[in-house]
């Protein structure tokens, strides 16, 4: 059996497990058993040129994109502000002026 970690707040050795958490009986501090995801393990989303994208970035569309279920097209050079990164095939959620809320693939945008 592996030893339980010390409390990160008061360094007490008397911690115990409760479900998915560790609990310190001395200071009542609770923390999750799973370690936080380090920055290196996070998913990195890059644009068409290999630049790393982050939430809130502004990007430009590099290819005409047909909108599914509509006759509209997102034209080359359309600037998209304040993007939000999400999981999945279409990894950017955004609002495009004149069109509305959309999901885009990062391979069709470049960072401004």
């Amino acid at each position: 059996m592996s030893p339980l970690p010390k409390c990160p707040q008061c360094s007490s050795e008397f911690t115990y497990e409760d479900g998915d958490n560790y609990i310190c009986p001395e200071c009542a501090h609770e923390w999750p058993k799973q370690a936080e995801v380090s920055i290196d393990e996070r998913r990195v989303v890059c644009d068409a040129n290999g630049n790393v994208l982050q939430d809130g970035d502004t990007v430009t569309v590099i290819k005409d994109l047909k909108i599914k279920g509509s006759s509209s097209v997102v034209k080359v050079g359309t600037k998209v502000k304040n993007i939000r990164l999400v999981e999945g095939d279409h990894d950017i959620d955004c609002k495009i002026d004149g069109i509305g809320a959309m999901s885009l693939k990062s391979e069709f945008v470049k960072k401004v």
Side-chain angles (χ1 to χ4, degrees):
M1 185 169 149
S2 64
L4 297 174
K6 291 183 179 182
C7 175
Q9 205 162 29
C10 70
S11 299
S12 171
E13 296 180 358
F14 303 111
T15 59
Y16 63 92
E17 296 178 58
D18 184 27
D20 290 334
N21 293 329
Y22 291 118
I23 299 175
C24 175
E26 293 184 2
C27 69
H29 178 66
E30 295 184 21
W31 68 99
K33 283 184 185 178
Q34 278 189 334
E36 299 257 342
V37 176
S38 69
I39 294 172
D40 299 333
E41 295 176 3
R42 292 184 188 158
R43 185 169 161 244
V44 177
V45 178
C46 297
D47 68 359
N49 296 331
N51 299 318
V52 177
L53 297 174
Q54 297 177 348
D55 287 343
D57 281 346
T58 300
V59 296
T60 303
V61 177
I62 62 167
K63 175 183 174 183
D64 282 347
L65 301 173
K66 293 180 183 178
I67 300 173
K68 194 176 215 177
S70 173
S71 61
S72 302
V73 175
V74 178
K75 294 284 187 180
V76 171
T78 302
K79 192 178 278 191
V80 181
K81 297 178 183 175
N82 201 18
I83 65 169
R84 188 169 57 102
L85 302 178
V86 294
E87 293 290 324
D89 188 33
H90 290 73
D91 43 15
I92 298 174
D93 275 351
C94 61
K95 287 185 182 177
I96 299 177
D97 292 338
I99 296 174
M102 286 198 66
S103 292
L104 301 172
K105 290 186 177 184
S106 59
E107 63 195 63
F108 298 123
V109 298
K110 69 176 182 176
K111 191 172 184 176
V112 175

